[in-house]
Coordinates of all heavy atoms in Angstrom, one line a residue:
N1 N -4.6 8.4 1.7 CA -4.9 7.9 3.0 C -6.2 7.0 3.0 O -7.2 7.4 2.5 CB -5.1 9.1 4.0 CG -5.0 8.7 5.4 OD1 -5.2 7.6 5.8 ND2 -4.8 9.7 6.3
G2 N -6.1 5.8 3.6 CA -7.2 4.9 3.6 C -7.0 3.8 2.6 O -7.9 2.9 2.5
F3 N -5.9 3.8 1.8 CA -5.8 2.8 0.7 C -4.4 2.1 0.9 O -3.7 1.8 0.0 CB -5.9 3.4 -0.7 CG -6.3 2.4 -1.7 CD1 -7.6 2.1 -2.0 CD2 -5.3 1.7 -2.4 CE1 -8.0 1.2 -3.0 CE2 -5.7 0.7 -3.4 CZ -7.0 0.5 -3.7
S4 N -4.0 1.8 2.2 CA -2.8 1.0 2.4 C -3.0 -0.3 1.8 O -4.1 -0.9 2.0 CB -2.5 1.0 3.9 OG -1.4 0.2 4.2
S5 N -2.0 -0.9 1.1 CA -2.2 -2.2 0.5 C -0.9 -2.8 0.2 O 0.1 -2.1 0.0 CB -3.0 -2.0 -0.8 OG -3.2 -3.2 -1.5
S6 N -0.9 -4.2 0.1 CA 0.3 -4.9 -0.4 C -0.2 -5.8 -1.5 O 0.5 -6.8 -1.8 CB 0.9 -5.7 0.8 OG -0.1 -6.6 1.4
M7 N -1.3 -5.5 -2.1 CA -1.8 -6.3 -3.3 C -0.8 -6.1 -4.4 O 0.0 -5.1 -4.5 CB -3.2 -5.8 -3.6 CG -4.2 -6.1 -2.6 SD -4.7 -7.8 -2.4 CE -5.8 -8.0 -3.8
P8 N -0.9 -7.0 -5.5 CA 0.0 -6.7 -6.6 C -0.3 -5.4 -7.2 O -1.4 -4.8 -7.2 CB -0.5 -7.8 -7.6 CG -1.0 -8.9 -6.7 CD -1.6 -8.2 -5.6
M9 N 0.8 -4.8 -7.8 CA 0.7 -3.4 -8.3 C -0.4 -3.3 -9.3 O -1.1 -2.3 -9.3 CB 2.1 -3.1 -9.0 CG 2.1 -1.7 -9.6 SD 3.8 -1.2 -10.1 CE 4.1 -2.5 -11.3
E10 N -0.5 -4.2 -10.3 CA -1.6 -4.1 -11.3 C -2.9 -4.1 -10.7 O -3.9 -3.4 -11.1 CB -1.4 -5.3 -12.3 CG -0.1 -5.3 -13.0 CD 1.0 -6.0 -12.2 OE1 0.7 -6.4 -11.0 OE2 2.1 -6.1 -12.6
T11 N -3.2 -4.9 -9.6 CA -4.5 -5.0 -9.0 C -4.8 -3.6 -8.3 O -5.9 -3.2 -8.3 CB -4.5 -6.1 -7.9 OG1 -4.1 -7.3 -8.6 CG2 -5.8 -6.3 -7.3
Q12 N -3.8 -3.1 -7.6 CA -4.0 -1.8 -7.0 C -4.4 -0.7 -8.0 O -5.4 0.0 -7.8 CB -2.7 -1.3 -6.3 CG -2.3 -2.1 -5.1 CD -1.1 -1.5 -4.4 OE1 -1.0 -0.3 -4.2 NE2 -0.1 -2.4 -4.0
L13 N -3.7 -0.7 -9.1 CA -4.0 0.4 -10.1 C -5.4 0.1 -10.7 O -6.2 1.1 -10.9 CB -3.0 0.4 -11.2 CG -3.1 1.5 -12.3 CD1 -3.1 2.8 -11.6 CD2 -1.9 1.4 -13.2
R14 N -5.8 -1.1 -11.1 CA -7.1 -1.4 -11.7 C -8.2 -1.0 -10.7 O -9.2 -0.5 -11.1 CB -7.2 -2.8 -12.1 CG -6.4 -3.2 -13.4 CD -6.8 -4.5 -13.9 NE -6.5 -5.6 -13.0 CZ -7.4 -6.4 -12.5 NH1 -8.7 -6.3 -12.8 NH2 -7.0 -7.4 -11.7
A15 N -8.0 -1.3 -9.4 CA -9.1 -1.0 -8.4 C -9.2 0.5 -8.3 O -10.3 1.1 -8.2 CB -8.7 -1.6 -7.1
L16 N -8.1 1.2 -8.2 CA -8.1 2.7 -8.1 C -8.9 3.3 -9.2 O -9.7 4.3 -9.0 CB -6.7 3.3 -8.1 CG -5.9 3.0 -6.8 CD1 -4.4 3.4 -7.0 CD2 -6.5 3.7 -5.6
R17 N -8.8 2.8 -10.4 CA -9.4 3.4 -11.6 C -10.9 3.2 -11.7 O -11.6 3.6 -12.6 CB -8.7 3.0 -12.9 CG -7.3 3.6 -13.0 CD -6.6 3.2 -14.2 NE -5.3 4.1 -14.4 CZ -4.4 3.8 -15.3 NH1 -4.5 2.8 -16.1 NH2 -3.3 4.6 -15.4
Q18 N -11.4 2.4 -10.7 CA -12.9 2.2 -10.6 C -13.5 3.3 -9.7 O -14.7 3.3 -9.5 CB -13.2 0.8 -10.0 CG -12.7 -0.3 -10.8 CD -13.2 -0.3 -12.3 OE1 -14.4 -0.1 -12.4 NE2 -12.4 -0.4 -13.3
I19 N -12.7 4.2 -9.2 CA -13.1 5.3 -8.3 C -13.3 6.5 -9.2 O -12.3 6.9 -9.9 CB -12.2 5.5 -7.2 CG1 -12.1 4.3 -6.3 CG2 -12.6 6.7 -6.4 CD1 -10.9 4.3 -5.3
P20 N -14.4 7.2 -9.3 CA -14.6 8.3 -10.3 C -13.5 9.3 -10.3 O -13.0 9.7 -11.3 CB -16.0 8.9 -9.8 CG -16.7 7.7 -9.2 CD -15.7 6.9 -8.6
A21 N -13.1 9.8 -9.1 CA -12.1 10.8 -9.0 C -10.7 10.3 -9.5 O -9.8 11.1 -9.9 CB -11.9 11.3 -7.6
L22 N -10.5 9.0 -9.6 CA -9.2 8.4 -9.9 C -9.3 7.6 -11.2 O -8.4 6.8 -11.4 CB -8.7 7.5 -8.7 CG -8.7 8.2 -7.4 CD1 -8.2 7.2 -6.3 CD2 -7.8 9.4 -7.4
R23 N -10.3 7.8 -12.0 CA -10.5 7.0 -13.2 C -9.3 7.1 -14.2 O -9.1 6.1 -15.0 CB -11.8 7.4 -13.9 CG -11.9 8.8 -14.3 CD -13.3 9.1 -14.8 NE -13.5 10.5 -15.2 CZ -14.0 11.4 -14.4 NH1 -14.2 11.2 -13.1 NH2 -14.2 12.7 -14.9
D24 N -8.6 8.2 -14.2 CA -7.5 8.3 -15.1 C -6.1 8.4 -14.4 O -5.1 8.9 -14.9 CB -7.6 9.5 -16.0 CG -8.9 9.5 -16.9 OD1 -9.1 8.4 -17.5 OD2 -9.6 10.4 -16.9
V25 N -6.1 7.9 -13.1 CA -5.0 8.2 -12.2 C -3.7 7.5 -12.7 O -3.7 6.4 -13.2 CB -5.3 7.8 -10.8 CG1 -5.3 6.3 -10.6 CG2 -4.3 8.5 -9.8
K26 N -2.6 8.2 -12.5 CA -1.2 7.6 -12.7 C -0.6 7.6 -11.3 O -0.9 8.4 -10.4 CB -0.4 8.4 -13.6 CG -0.8 8.4 -15.0 CD 0.2 9.2 -15.9 CE -0.2 9.2 -17.4 NZ 0.7 10.1 -18.2
I27 N 0.2 6.6 -11.0 CA 0.8 6.5 -9.7 C 2.3 6.6 -9.8 O 2.9 6.3 -10.8 CB 0.5 5.1 -9.0 CG1 1.0 3.9 -9.8 CG2 -1.1 5.0 -8.9 CD1 0.8 2.6 -9.1
Y28 N 2.9 7.1 -8.7 CA 4.4 7.1 -8.6 C 5.0 5.8 -8.2 O 6.1 5.4 -8.6 CB 4.8 8.3 -7.7 CG 4.6 9.6 -8.2 CD1 3.6 10.4 -7.8 CD2 5.5 10.1 -9.2 CE1 3.4 11.7 -8.3 CE2 5.3 11.4 -9.7 CZ 4.3 12.2 -9.3 OH 4.1 13.5 -9.8
R29 N 4.3 5.2 -7.3 CA 4.7 3.8 -6.8 C 3.5 3.2 -6.1 O 2.6 3.9 -5.6 CB 5.9 3.9 -5.9 CG 5.7 4.6 -4.6 CD 6.9 4.3 -3.6 NE 6.8 5.0 -2.4 CZ 6.1 4.7 -1.4 NH1 5.3 3.7 -1.4 NH2 6.1 5.5 -0.3
P30 N 3.4 1.9 -6.1 CA 2.3 1.2 -5.4 C 2.5 1.2 -3.9 O 3.6 1.5 -3.3 CB 2.4 -0.2 -5.9 CG 3.8 -0.4 -6.2 CD 4.4 0.9 -6.7
G31 N 1.4 0.9 -3.2 CA 1.5 0.6 -1.7 C 2.3 -0.7 -1.5 O 2.4 -1.6 -2.4
Y32 N 2.8 -0.9 -0.3 CA 3.5 -2.1 0.0 C 3.4 -2.4 1.5 O 3.1 -1.4 2.3 CB 5.0 -2.0 -0.4 CG 5.8 -1.0 0.3 CD1 6.5 -1.2 1.5 CD2 6.0 0.3 -0.3 CE1 7.2 -0.3 2.2 CE2 6.8 1.3 0.4 CZ 7.4 1.0 1.6 OH 8.1 1.9 2.2
A33 N 3.7 -3.6 1.9 CA 3.7 -3.9 3.3 C 5.2 -4.2 3.7 O 6.0 -4.5 2.8 CB 2.9 -5.2 3.6
I34 N 5.5 -4.1 5.0 CA 6.9 -4.3 5.4 C 6.8 -5.1 6.8 O 6.1 -4.7 7.7 CB 7.7 -3.0 5.6 CG1 9.1 -3.4 6.1 CG2 7.0 -2.0 6.4 CD1 10.1 -2.2 6.0
E35 N 7.6 -6.2 6.9 CA 7.8 -6.9 8.1 C 9.1 -6.5 8.7 O 10.1 -6.3 8.0 CB 7.7 -8.4 7.9 CG 6.4 -8.9 7.5 CD 6.4 -10.4 7.4 OE1 6.9 -10.9 6.4 OE2 5.9 -11.1 8.3
Y36 N 9.2 -6.5 10.0 CA 10.4 -6.0 10.7 C 10.5 -6.6 12.1 O 9.5 -7.1 12.6 CB 10.5 -4.5 10.7 CG 9.3 -3.9 11.4 CD1 9.3 -3.6 12.8 CD2 8.1 -3.6 10.7 CE1 8.2 -3.0 13.4 CE2 7.0 -3.1 11.3 CZ 7.1 -2.8 12.7 OH 6.0 -2.2 13.3
D37 N 11.7 -6.5 12.7 CA 11.9 -7.0 14.1 C 11.5 -6.0 15.1 O 11.8 -4.8 14.9 CB 13.3 -7.4 14.3 CG 13.8 -8.6 13.4 OD1 12.9 -9.4 13.0 OD2 15.0 -8.8 13.2
Y38 N 11.0 -6.4 16.2 CA 10.9 -5.5 17.4 C 11.2 -6.4 18.6 O 11.3 -7.6 18.5 CB 9.4 -5.0 17.5 CG 8.4 -6.0 18.1 CD1 8.1 -5.9 19.4 CD2 7.9 -7.0 17.3 CE1 7.2 -6.9 20.0 CE2 7.0 -7.9 17.8 CZ 6.6 -7.8 19.2 OH 5.8 -8.7 19.7
F39 N 11.5 -5.7 19.7 CA 11.9 -6.3 21.0 C 10.8 -6.2 22.0 O 10.1 -5.2 22.1 CB 13.2 -5.7 21.5 CG 14.3 -5.7 20.5 CD1 14.6 -4.6 19.8 CD2 15.0 -6.9 20.2 CE1 15.7 -4.6 18.8 CE2 16.0 -7.0 19.3 CZ 16.3 -5.8 18.6
D40 N 10.6 -7.2 22.8 CA 9.5 -7.3 23.8 C 9.7 -6.1 24.8 O 10.7 -6.1 25.5 CB 9.6 -8.6 24.5 CG 8.5 -8.8 25.6 OD1 7.7 -7.9 25.8 OD2 8.5 -9.9 26.2
P41 N 8.8 -5.2 24.8 CA 8.9 -4.0 25.7 C 8.8 -4.3 27.1 O 9.1 -3.5 28.0 CB 7.9 -3.0 25.2 CG 6.8 -3.9 24.5 CD 7.6 -5.1 23.9
T42 N 8.2 -5.5 27.5 CA 8.1 -5.8 28.9 C 9.5 -6.1 29.5 O 9.6 -6.2 30.8 CB 7.2 -7.0 29.2 OG1 7.7 -8.2 28.6 CG2 5.8 -6.8 28.6
Q43 N 10.5 -6.2 28.7 CA 11.9 -6.4 29.2 C 12.6 -5.0 29.4 O 13.8 -5.0 29.6 CB 12.7 -7.2 28.2 CG 12.2 -8.7 28.2 CD 13.1 -9.6 27.3 OE1 13.2 -9.4 26.1 NE2 13.7 -10.5 27.9
L44 N 11.8 -4.0 29.4 CA 12.3 -2.6 29.6 C 11.8 -2.1 30.9 O 10.7 -2.4 31.4 CB 11.8 -1.7 28.5 CG 12.3 -1.9 27.1 CD1 11.6 -1.0 26.1 CD2 13.8 -1.9 26.9

């Protein structure tokens, strides 16, 4: 929590390993962003 990101996977991992508690961390998958459609709620 607090490390939401859409940076390249390699960049995310290299940055994480600069944090003492995560210096040897392995990841299951990187963070990502998602774009999606929504509808104008003032039409409700």
Side-chain angles (χ1 to χ4, degrees):
N1 197 339
F3 204 89
S4 179
S5 180
S6 57
M7 296 286 282
M9 178 172 62
E10 300 82 0
T11 305
Q12 293 185 42
L13 184 56
R14 283 195 298 118
L16 288 171
R17 287 180 172 170
Q18 300 302 312
I19 299 168
L22 307 178
R23 58 186 178 269
D24 297 315
V25 75
K26 293 181 180 179
I27 66 174
Y28 287 105
R29 66 167 173 79
Y32 63 88
I34 179 171
E35 290 184 285
Y36 56 94
D37 295 337
Y38 79 98
F39 303 103
D40 182 357
T42 64
Q43 293 186 297
L44 297 175

